[in-house]
């Protein structure tokens, strides 16, 4: 008999509220530059039947989306975590808060996002299944 360990989900996608650095300048030491993540998401949706999509692109639009779609729909404690995560970015002109949906099968985009988080050019404020 086969058994599965770990989290199993029937969902085919995850939604993210993320903060992305606007300045995508190359590193002064090595010249490395992050890819244009939003462009990658847009181009990948052509092949993934819209499992990957950008729901909001700009901070103000995202904040309105969160107010309209998260407040009252998630538990107060979870909403407080979202507000706390947003607090350091919502008035910071160097960062953009966006809302995206990524296919759980697209390991390239998820890996790119994880690398950007590790490198300090992105932060995942909230991730939710489905």
């Amino acid at each position: 008999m086969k058994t599965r360990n770990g989290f199993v989900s029937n969902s085919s996608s995850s939604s993210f509220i993320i903060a992305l650095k606007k300045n995508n300048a190359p590193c002064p030491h090595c010249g490395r530059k992050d890819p244009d993540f939003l462009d990658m998401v847009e181009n990948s949706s052509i092949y993934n039947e819209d499992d990957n999509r950008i729901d909001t692109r700009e901070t103000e639009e995202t904040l309105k989306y969160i107010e309209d779609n998260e407040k009252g729909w998630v538990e107060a404690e979870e909403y407080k975590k979202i507000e706390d995560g947003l607090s350091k970015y919502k008035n910071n002109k160097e960062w953009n808060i966006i809302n995206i949906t990524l296919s759980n099968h697209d390991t390239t985009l998820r890996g790119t996002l994880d690398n950007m988080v590790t490198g300090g050019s992105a932060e995942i404020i909230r991730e939710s299944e489905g």
Side-chain angles (χ1 to χ4, degrees):
M1 172 186 271
K2 291 183 180 180
T3 59
R4 185 181 296 255
N5 296 322
F7 180 76
V8 178
S9 171
N10 290 331
S11 176
S12 63
S13 63
S14 295
S15 294
F16 296 86
I17 299 169
I18 61 175
L20 285 178
K21 252 188 183 172
K22 288 182 179 180
N23 182 5
N24 193 14
C27 171
H29 303 289
C30 68
R32 181 188 163 278
K33 182 178 176 180
D34 284 327
D36 184 333
F37 186 68
L38 296 182
D39 189 45
M40 289 177 67
V41 173
E42 280 184 334
N43 288 328
S44 72
S45 68
I46 296 168
Y47 306 105
N48 289 314
E49 299 175 16
D50 294 326
D51 283 347
N52 297 321
R53 68 180 180 274
I54 302 166
D55 298 309
T56 61
R57 289 185 161 276
E58 300 292 330
T59 297
E60 291 303 317
E61 179 186 16
T62 305
L63 294 175
K64 177 151 180 34
Y65 178 89
I66 292 166
E67 178 76 21
D68 293 346
N69 296 289
E70 303 288 342
K71 194 171 189 175
W73 292 99
V74 297
E75 294 180 23
E77 184 176 312
E78 179 69 16
Y79 192 76
K80 174 81 170 106
K81 287 180 188 176
I82 294 170
E83 284 185 321
D84 289 347
L86 293 172
S87 65
K88 63 182 172 181
Y89 297 109
K90 63 178 160 182
N91 293 319
N92 188 330
K93 301 296 182 199
E94 294 178 20
W95 290 80
N96 204 9
I97 302 168
I98 65 169
N99 187 15
I100 59 170
T101 301
L102 299 179
S103 167
N104 288 338
H105 305 290
D106 194 329
T107 56
T108 300
L109 281 177
R110 182 55 199 251
T112 301
L113 177 58
D114 289 342
N115 287 336
M116 291 173 70
V117 168
T118 300
S121 60
E123 182 179 334
I124 298 171
I125 296 170
R126 179 176 189 240
E127 177 180 356
S128 59
E129 289 289 320

